Coordinates of all heavy atoms in Angstrom, one line a residue:
M64 N 0.8 -1.2 0.0 CA 0.0 0.0 0.0 C 0.9 1.3 0.0 O 0.4 2.2 -0.5 CB -0.9 0.0 1.2 CG -2.0 1.0 1.1 SD -3.1 0.6 -0.2 CE -4.2 2.0 -0.1
R65 N 2.0 1.2 0.6 CA 2.9 2.3 0.6 C 3.3 2.7 -0.8 O 3.6 3.9 -1.1 CB 4.2 1.9 1.4 CG 4.5 2.9 2.5 CD 5.7 2.5 3.2 NE 5.3 2.8 4.6 CZ 6.0 2.4 5.6 NH1 7.1 1.7 5.5 NH2 5.7 2.7 6.8
L66 N 3.5 1.7 -1.7 CA 3.9 2.0 -3.0 C 2.8 2.8 -3.8 O 3.2 3.7 -4.5 CB 4.1 0.7 -3.8 CG 4.5 0.8 -5.2 CD1 5.9 1.4 -5.4 CD2 4.5 -0.5 -6.0
L67 N 1.6 2.6 -3.5 CA 0.5 3.3 -4.2 C 0.5 4.8 -3.7 O 0.0 5.6 -4.5 CB -0.9 2.7 -4.0 CG -1.0 1.4 -4.7 CD1 -2.4 0.7 -4.3 CD2 -0.8 1.5 -6.1
G68 N 1.0 5.1 -2.5 CA 1.0 6.4 -2.0 C 2.2 7.2 -2.3 O 2.3 8.4 -2.0
K69 N 3.1 6.5 -2.9 CA 4.4 7.2 -3.3 C 4.2 8.2 -4.4 O 3.5 8.0 -5.3 CB 5.4 6.1 -3.7 CG 6.8 6.6 -3.8 CD 7.8 5.4 -4.0 CE 9.2 6.0 -3.9 NZ 9.9 5.5 -2.8
L70 N 4.8 9.4 -4.2 CA 4.5 10.5 -5.2 C 5.4 10.3 -6.5 O 6.7 9.9 -6.3 CB 4.8 11.8 -4.6 CG 3.9 12.3 -3.5 CD1 4.3 13.7 -3.0 CD2 2.5 12.3 -4.0
F71 N 4.8 10.4 -7.6 CA 5.5 10.4 -8.9 C 5.0 11.6 -9.7 O 3.8 11.7 -10.0 CB 5.3 9.0 -9.6 CG 5.9 9.0 -11.0 CD1 7.2 8.9 -11.2 CD2 5.0 9.1 -12.1 CE1 7.8 8.8 -12.4 CE2 5.6 9.0 -13.4 CZ 6.9 8.9 -13.5
A72 N 5.8 12.5 -10.1 CA 5.4 13.7 -10.8 C 4.3 14.5 -10.0 O 3.3 14.9 -10.5 CB 5.0 13.4 -12.1
S73 N 4.5 14.6 -8.7 CA 3.6 15.3 -7.8 C 2.3 14.7 -7.6 O 1.4 15.3 -7.1 CB 3.5 16.7 -8.3 OG 4.6 17.5 -8.3
Q74 N 2.1 13.5 -8.0 CA 0.8 12.7 -7.8 C 1.2 11.3 -7.3 O 2.2 10.7 -7.7 CB 0.0 12.6 -9.1 CG -0.5 13.9 -9.6 CD -1.2 13.7 -10.9 OE1 -1.6 12.5 -11.3 NE2 -1.5 14.8 -11.6
S75 N 0.3 10.8 -6.5 CA 0.5 9.4 -6.1 C 0.2 8.4 -7.2 O -0.5 8.7 -8.2 CB -0.4 9.0 -4.9 OG -1.7 9.1 -5.2
I76 N 0.8 7.2 -7.1 CA 0.6 6.2 -8.1 C -0.8 5.8 -8.2 O -1.4 5.6 -9.3 CB 1.5 5.0 -7.9 CG1 3.0 5.5 -8.1 CG2 1.2 3.9 -8.8 CD1 4.0 4.4 -7.7
F77 N -1.5 5.9 -7.1 CA -3.0 5.6 -7.0 C -3.7 6.6 -7.8 O -4.7 6.2 -8.6 CB -3.5 5.6 -5.5 CG -4.9 5.3 -5.3 CD1 -5.4 4.0 -5.6 CD2 -5.8 6.3 -4.8 CE1 -6.7 3.7 -5.4 CE2 -7.1 5.9 -4.7 CZ -7.6 4.6 -5.0
S78 N -3.4 7.9 -7.8 CA -4.1 8.9 -8.6 C -3.8 8.7 -10.0 O -4.8 8.9 -10.8 CB -3.5 10.3 -8.2 OG -3.9 10.7 -6.9
W79 N -2.6 8.3 -10.4 CA -2.3 8.0 -11.8 C -3.1 6.8 -12.3 O -3.8 6.9 -13.4 CB -0.8 7.6 -12.0 CG 0.0 8.8 -11.9 CD1 0.9 9.2 -11.0 CD2 0.2 9.8 -13.0 NE1 1.5 10.4 -11.3 CE2 1.2 10.7 -12.6 CE3 -0.3 9.9 -14.3 CZ2 1.6 11.8 -13.4 CZ3 0.1 11.0 -15.1 CH2 1.0 11.9 -14.6
L80 N -3.3 5.8 -11.5 CA -4.1 4.6 -11.8 C -5.6 5.0 -12.0 O -6.3 4.5 -12.9 CB -4.0 3.5 -10.8 CG -2.6 2.8 -10.8 CD1 -2.6 1.8 -9.6 CD2 -2.3 2.2 -12.0
L81 N -6.1 5.8 -11.1 CA -7.5 6.3 -11.2 C -7.7 7.1 -12.5 O -8.7 6.9 -13.2 CB -7.8 7.2 -10.0 CG -8.1 6.4 -8.7 CD1 -8.3 7.4 -7.5 CD2 -9.3 5.5 -8.8
Q82 N -6.7 7.9 -12.9 CA -6.8 8.7 -14.1 C -6.8 7.8 -15.4 O -7.5 8.0 -16.3 CB -5.7 9.7 -14.2 CG -5.9 10.8 -13.1 CD -4.7 11.8 -13.1 OE1 -4.4 12.4 -14.1 NE2 -4.1 11.9 -11.9
I83 N -5.9 6.8 -15.3 CA -5.9 5.8 -16.4 C -7.2 5.1 -16.5 O -7.7 4.8 -17.6 CB -4.7 4.9 -16.2 CG1 -3.4 5.7 -16.4 CG2 -4.8 3.7 -17.2 CD1 -2.1 5.0 -16.0
A84 N -7.8 4.7 -15.4 CA -9.1 4.1 -15.4 C -10.2 4.9 -16.0 O -11.0 4.4 -16.8 CB -9.5 3.6 -14.0
F85 N -10.2 6.2 -15.6 CA -11.2 7.2 -16.2 C -11.0 7.3 -17.7 O -12.0 7.3 -18.5 CB -11.0 8.5 -15.5 CG -12.1 9.4 -15.8 CD1 -13.4 9.2 -15.3 CD2 -11.9 10.5 -16.6 CE1 -14.4 10.1 -15.7 CE2 -12.8 11.4 -16.9 CZ -14.2 11.2 -16.4
I86 N -9.7 7.4 -18.1 CA -9.4 7.5 -19.6 C -9.9 6.2 -20.3 O -10.5 6.3 -21.5 CB -8.0 7.9 -19.8 CG1 -7.6 9.1 -19.4 CG2 -7.6 7.6 -21.3 CD1 -6.2 9.5 -19.3
T87 N -9.6 5.1 -19.7 CA -10.0 3.8 -20.3 C -11.5 3.7 -20.4 O -12.1 3.3 -21.5 CB -9.5 2.7 -19.5 OG1 -8.1 2.7 -19.3 CG2 -9.8 1.3 -20.1
L88 N -12.3 4.2 -19.4 CA -13.7 4.1 -19.4 C -14.2 5.1 -20.6 O -15.1 4.6 -21.3 CB -14.3 4.6 -18.1 CG -15.8 4.7 -18.0 CD1 -16.4 3.4 -18.1 CD2 -16.2 5.4 -16.7
A89 N -13.7 6.3 -20.7 CA -14.1 7.2 -21.8 C -13.7 6.6 -23.1 O -14.6 6.7 -24.0 CB -13.4 8.5 -21.6
W90 N -12.6 6.0 -23.3 CA -12.2 5.3 -24.6 C -13.2 4.2 -24.9 O -13.6 4.1 -26.1 CB -10.8 4.8 -24.4 CG -10.2 4.5 -25.7 CD1 -10.5 3.5 -26.6 CD2 -9.0 5.1 -26.3 NE1 -9.8 3.5 -27.7 CE2 -8.8 4.5 -27.5 CE3 -8.3 6.1 -25.9 CZ2 -7.8 4.9 -28.3 CZ3 -7.2 6.5 -26.8 CH2 -7.0 5.9 -28.0
K91 N -13.6 3.4 -24.0 CA -14.5 2.2 -24.3 C -15.8 2.8 -24.6 O -16.5 2.1 -25.4 CB -14.5 1.3 -23.1 CG -13.2 0.5 -23.0 CD -13.4 -0.7 -21.9 CE -12.2 -1.5 -21.9 NZ -12.1 -2.3 -23.1
V92 N -16.2 3.9 -24.0 CA -17.6 4.4 -24.4 C -17.5 5.0 -25.8 O -18.4 4.8 -26.6 CB -18.1 5.5 -23.3 CG1 -19.2 6.3 -23.9 CG2 -18.4 4.8 -22.0
A93 N -16.4 5.7 -26.2 CA -16.3 6.2 -27.5 C -16.2 5.2 -28.5 O -16.7 5.4 -29.7 CB -15.0 7.1 -27.5
D94 N -15.6 4.0 -28.2 CA -15.5 2.9 -29.1 C -16.8 2.0 -29.1 O -16.8 1.0 -29.9 CB -14.3 2.0 -28.8 CG -13.0 2.6 -29.2 OD1 -13.0 3.6 -30.0 OD2 -11.9 2.1 -28.8
H95 N -17.7 2.3 -28.3 CA -19.0 1.5 -28.2 C -18.7 0.1 -27.7 O -19.5 -0.8 -28.0 CB -19.7 1.5 -29.6 CG -20.0 2.9 -30.1 ND1 -21.0 3.7 -29.4 CD2 -19.6 3.6 -31.1 CE1 -21.1 4.9 -30.1 NE2 -20.2 4.8 -31.1
S96 N -17.6 0.0 -26.9 CA -17.4 -1.3 -26.3 C -18.2 -1.5 -25.1 O -18.6 -2.7 -24.8 CB -15.9 -1.4 -25.9 OG -15.0 -1.2 -26.9
I97 N -18.6 -0.5 -24.4 CA -19.6 -0.6 -23.3 C -20.6 0.5 -23.7 O -20.4 1.6 -24.3 CB -18.9 -0.3 -22.0 CG1 -18.2 1.1 -21.8 CG2 -18.0 -1.4 -21.6 CD1 -17.6 1.4 -20.5
P98 N -21.8 0.3 -23.2 CA -22.9 1.2 -23.5 C -22.8 2.5 -22.7 O -22.3 2.6 -21.6 CB -24.1 0.4 -23.1 CG -23.7 -0.5 -22.0 CD -22.3 -0.9 -22.4
N99 N -23.3 3.6 -23.3 CA -23.3 4.9 -22.7 C -24.7 5.0 -22.0 O -25.6 5.6 -22.6 CB -23.1 5.9 -23.7 CG -23.0 7.3 -23.1 OD1 -23.0 7.5 -21.9 ND2 -23.1 8.4 -23.9
N100 N -24.8 4.5 -20.8 CA -26.1 4.5 -20.1 C -25.8 5.1 -18.7 O -24.8 5.6 -18.4 CB -26.6 3.1 -20.0 CG -25.7 2.1 -19.3 OD1 -24.8 2.4 -18.6 ND2 -26.0 0.9 -19.5
L101 N -26.9 5.1 -17.8 CA -26.8 5.6 -16.6 C -25.7 5.0 -15.7 O -25.0 5.8 -15.0 CB -28.2 5.6 -15.9 CG -28.3 6.2 -14.5 CD1 -28.1 7.7 -14.6 CD2 -29.6 5.9 -13.9
W102 N -25.6 3.7 -15.7 CA -24.6 3.0 -14.9 C -23.1 3.5 -15.3 O -22.2 3.7 -14.4 CB -24.7 1.6 -14.9 CG -25.9 1.1 -14.3 CD1 -27.1 0.6 -14.9 CD2 -26.2 1.3 -12.9 NE1 -28.0 0.4 -14.0 CE2 -27.5 0.8 -12.7 CE3 -25.5 1.7 -11.8 CZ2 -28.2 0.7 -11.5 CZ3 -26.1 1.6 -10.5 CH2 -27.4 1.2 -10.4
T103 N -22.9 3.7 -16.6 CA -21.6 4.1 -17.0 C -21.4 5.5 -16.6 O -20.2 5.9 -16.1 CB -21.5 4.1 -18.6 OG1 -21.9 2.8 -19.0 CG2 -20.1 4.3 -19.1
I104 N -22.3 6.4 -16.7 CA -22.2 7.8 -16.2 C -21.9 7.8 -14.7 O -21.1 8.6 -14.3 CB -23.4 8.6 -16.6 CG1 -23.5 8.7 -18.1 CG2 -23.4 9.9 -16.0 CD1 -24.8 9.2 -18.7
I105 N -22.7 7.1 -13.9 CA -22.5 7.0 -12.5 C -21.0 6.4 -12.2 O -20.4 7.0 -11.3 CB -23.5 6.1 -11.8 CG1 -24.9 6.8 -11.9 CG2 -23.1 5.7 -10.3 CD1 -26.0 5.9 -11.4
G106 N -20.6 5.4 -12.9 CA -19.3 5.0 -12.7 C -18.2 5.9 -13.0 O -17.2 6.1 -12.3
G107 N -18.4 6.7 -14.1 CA -17.4 7.8 -14.4 C -17.4 8.9 -13.4 O -16.4 9.5 -13.1
T108 N -18.6 9.2 -12.9 CA -18.7 10.2 -11.9 C -17.9 9.8 -10.6 O -17.3 10.6 -9.9 CB -20.2 10.5 -11.5 OG1 -20.8 10.9 -12.8 CG2 -20.3 11.6 -10.6
V109 N -18.2 8.5 -10.2 CA -17.5 8.0 -9.0 C -16.0 8.0 -9.2 O -15.2 8.4 -8.3 CB -18.0 6.6 -8.7 CG1 -17.2 5.9 -7.6 CG2 -19.4 6.7 -8.2
L110 N -15.6 7.6 -10.4 CA -14.1 7.6 -10.6 C -13.6 9.1 -10.6 O -12.5 9.3 -10.0 CB -13.8 7.0 -12.0 CG -13.5 5.5 -12.1 CD1 -13.4 5.1 -13.6 CD2 -12.3 5.2 -11.4
M111 N -14.3 10.0 -11.1 CA -13.9 11.3 -11.1 C -13.8 11.9 -9.7 O -12.8 12.6 -9.3 CB -14.8 12.2 -12.0 CG -14.3 13.7 -12.1 SD -15.4 14.6 -13.2 CE -17.0 14.4 -12.5
L112 N -14.8 11.7 -8.9 CA -14.8 12.2 -7.5 C -13.7 11.5 -6.7 O -13.0 12.2 -5.9 CB -16.2 11.9 -6.9 CG -17.3 12.7 -7.4 CD1 -18.6 12.3 -6.8 CD2 -17.1 14.2 -7.1
V113 N -13.4 10.2 -6.9 CA -12.4 9.6 -6.1 C -11.0 10.1 -6.5 O -10.1 10.4 -5.8 CB -12.5 8.0 -6.3 CG1 -11.3 7.4 -5.7 CG2 -13.7 7.6 -5.6
T114 N -10.9 10.4 -7.9 CA -9.6 11.0 -8.3 C -9.4 12.4 -7.8 O -8.3 12.6 -7.4 CB -9.7 11.0 -9.9 OG1 -9.9 9.7 -10.4 CG2 -8.4 11.5 -10.4
Y115 N -10.5 13.1 -7.7 CA -10.4 14.4 -7.1 C -9.9 14.4 -5.7 O -9.1 15.2 -5.3 CB -11.7 15.2 -7.3 CG -11.7 16.5 -6.7 CD1 -11.1 17.7 -7.3 CD2 -12.3 16.8 -5.4 CE1 -11.0 18.9 -6.7 CE2 -12.3 18.0 -4.8 CZ -11.7 19.1 -5.5 OH -11.6 20.3 -4.8
V116 N -10.5 13.6 -4.9 CA -10.1 13.4 -3.5 C -8.7 12.9 -3.4 O -8.0 13.4 -2.5 CB -11.1 12.4 -2.8 CG1 -10.7 12.0 -1.4 CG2 -12.5 13.0 -2.7
S117 N -8.4 12.0 -4.2 CA -6.9 11.5 -4.2 C -6.0 12.6 -4.5 O -4.9 12.7 -3.8 CB -6.8 10.3 -5.2 OG -5.4 9.9 -5.2
L118 N -6.3 13.4 -5.5 CA -5.4 14.5 -5.8 C -5.3 15.6 -4.7 O -4.3 16.2 -4.4 CB -5.8 15.2 -7.1 CG -5.6 14.3 -8.4 CD1 -6.3 15.0 -9.6 CD2 -4.1 14.1 -8.6
A119 N -6.5 15.8 -4.0 CA -6.5 16.7 -2.9 C -5.5 16.2 -1.8 O -4.8 17.0 -1.1 CB -7.9 16.9 -2.4
F120 N -5.6 14.9 -1.5 CA -4.7 14.3 -0.5 C -3.3 14.4 -0.9 O -2.4 14.7 -0.1 CB -5.1 12.9 -0.2 CG -6.2 12.7 0.8 CD1 -7.3 11.9 0.3 CD2 -6.2 13.3 2.0 CE1 -8.3 11.8 1.2 CE2 -7.3 13.1 2.8 CZ -8.4 12.3 2.4
D121 N -3.0 14.2 -2.2 CA -1.6 14.4 -2.7 C -1.1 15.8 -2.5 O 0.0 16.0 -2.1 CB -1.5 14.0 -4.2 CG -1.8 12.6 -4.4 OD1 -1.8 11.7 -3.5 OD2 -2.0 12.2 -5.6
S122 N -1.9 16.8 -2.8 CA -1.6 18.1 -2.6 C -1.3 18.4 -1.1 O -0.3 19.1 -0.8 CB -2.7 19.0 -3.1 OG -2.4 20.4 -2.8
K123 N -2.1 17.9 -0.2 CA -2.0 18.1 1.2 C -0.6 17.5 1.6 O 0.1 18.1 2.5 CB -3.1 17.5 2.0 CG -3.2 17.9 3.4 CD -4.4 17.2 4.0 CE -5.5 18.3 4.2 NZ -6.7 17.9 5.0
K124 N -0.4 16.3 1.1 CA 0.9 15.6 1.5 C 2.1 16.3 1.0 O 3.1 16.5 1.7 CB 0.9 14.2 0.9 CG 2.1 13.4 1.2 CD 2.2 12.1 0.5 CE 1.2 11.1 0.8 NZ 1.5 9.8 0.1
R125 N 1.9 16.9 -0.2 CA 3.1 17.6 -0.8 C 3.4 18.9 -0.1 O 4.6 19.2 0.2 CB 2.8 17.9 -2.3 CG 3.9 18.3 -3.1 CD 3.6 18.5 -4.6 NE 2.5 19.4 -4.8 CZ 1.4 19.1 -5.3 NH1 1.1 17.9 -5.7 NH2 0.5 20.0 -5.6
I126 N 2.4 19.5 0.5 CA 2.6 20.8 1.2 C 3.1 20.5 2.6 O 4.0 21.2 3.1 CB 1.2 21.5 1.4 CG1 0.8 22.1 0.0 CG2 1.2 22.6 2.4 CD1 -0.6 22.7 -0.1
S127 N 2.6 19.4 3.2 CA 3.2 19.0 4.5 C 4.6 18.5 4.5 O 5.3 18.6 5.5 CB 2.3 18.0 5.2 OG 2.4 16.7 4.5
N128 N 5.1 18.0 3.4 CA 6.4 17.6 3.2 C 7.5 18.7 3.1 O 8.6 18.4 3.2 CB 6.6 16.6 2.1 CG 6.0 15.2 2.3 OD1 5.8 14.9 3.5 ND2 5.8 14.5 1.3
K129 N 7.0 19.8 2.8 CA 7.9 21.0 2.6 C 8.5 21.5 4.0 O 8.0 21.4 5.0 CB 7.2 22.2 1.9 CG 7.1 21.8 0.4 CD 6.5 23.1 -0.3 CE 6.4 22.7 -1.8 NZ 5.9 23.9 -2.5

């Protein structure tokens, strides 16, 4: 778990993975691999909110390390 919290380019690896998951979701919707319905929109919203919270924690950690 410590590895996922390690900062890389001012973001934790967990934040990077969440962003990659969000991009993958958007890509699959654009390719029509998965349907663009309410569940996909809710999943994208949850991913976006968790990513935002993770980036906020990264910012707080970066400021406290100074």
Side-chain angles (χ1 to χ4, degrees):
M64 192 65 184
R65 231 179 225 169
L66 178 66
L67 293 179
K69 194 168 185 116
L70 293 180
F71 175 72
S73 298
Q74 295 180 13
S75 66
I76 295 174
F77 184 66
S78 294
W79 283 105
L80 292 174
L81 287 170
Q82 292 174 57
I83 290 169
F85 188 71
I86 291 168
T87 304
L88 178 68
W90 195 294
K91 288 190 175 286
V92 168
D94 282 347
H95 303 290
S96 299
I97 58 175
N99 185 10
N100 58 19
L101 182 63
W102 292 111
T103 307
I104 294 169
I105 290 171
T108 303
V109 169
L110 269 175
M111 184 176 56
L112 290 173
V113 172
T114 302
Y115 177 76
V116 170
S117 176
L118 289 172
F120 280 126
D121 294 345
S122 176
K123 193 179 257 189
K124 182 191 295 187
R125 197 172 56 242
I126 289 172
S127 70
N128 285 342
K129 285 185 178 182

